[in-house]
Amino acid sequence: MGVFFLLGLVCMDFKLRPFSGDRVPRPHNEISVPSLSEGYTGLDLEIGAGAGMHALAYARQNPSRLLVAVERTEAKFKAFESRVSRHEPLKNLVAIRDNAVSVVTHLVAPRSLDRVFILYPNPYPKESQANKRWHRMPFIQHLHECMKPGGELTIATNEVFYKDECRAWLLGLGLFKLVSEAELSLSDAETPRLPRMRTHFEKKYLRARQKIYNLVFARC
Ligand SMILES: C[S@@+](CC[C@H](N)C(=O)[O-])C[C@H]1O[C@@H](n2cnc3c(N)ncnc32)[C@H](O)[C@@H]1O
């Protein structure tokens, strides 16, 4: 990767297939996110919540907002549920075991999400897997439609290629503007730059002395 990879991004024509929601399977549970979010000051979504470390802390710190946290892997979701059961019940956290694409496509209303978090997504580093990266999936166009104008999308990764490609695609598609970009390391943990480690993967990477990248976009 490196210079040639960045040059490739500069010359790239950013186009995606249209998103076909009717081809996406329905989620396993037909909950109504719009009715659940009534009475809250905001609706937020976490995609790939893992064992729920960020989701729990976020819901606790933001009691007036509803967080829908989706994790599709059974073992991770069990760890999430067990973490939830060990803490004070949080009415403003809805944990769902499912594919986030199904949940957003069928349960979330257009222009309803204020904040979306995708923290340490699987990077799918092989070129043959490139279309599985969130910013290269047609679904990103639907996620954009489900966000309020000005709503924020936070993406964190430890992979420099993923950070560069994600920024290039989201801006190149014209769907998002970059609000902030930070490069953080262990020395930033427990400082105002990174007050606490947010997820298990964040902990793992920082403790292994890797850099992490945090991108915040605003929906155009
Ligand atoms: C590398 S892990 C990061 C987990 C957590 N965010 C963290 O930082 O500790 C990526 C997670 O995303 C989940 N995931 C991937 N694609 C998903 C999808 N379409 N819907 C829901 N979860 C998904 C995986 O099961 C996995 O738990």
Side-chain angles (χ1 to χ4, degrees), residues 46-50 70-73 76 98-101 119-122 134 199-202:
E46 182 168 352
I47 292 179
V70 190
E71 171 52 53
R72 77 172 171 195
T73 304
K76 293 263 175 69
D98 215 320
N99 186 330
V101 175
L119 304 176
Y120 306 95
N122 300 330
W134 289 106
T199 76
H200 287 100
F201 276 74
E202 187 158 279

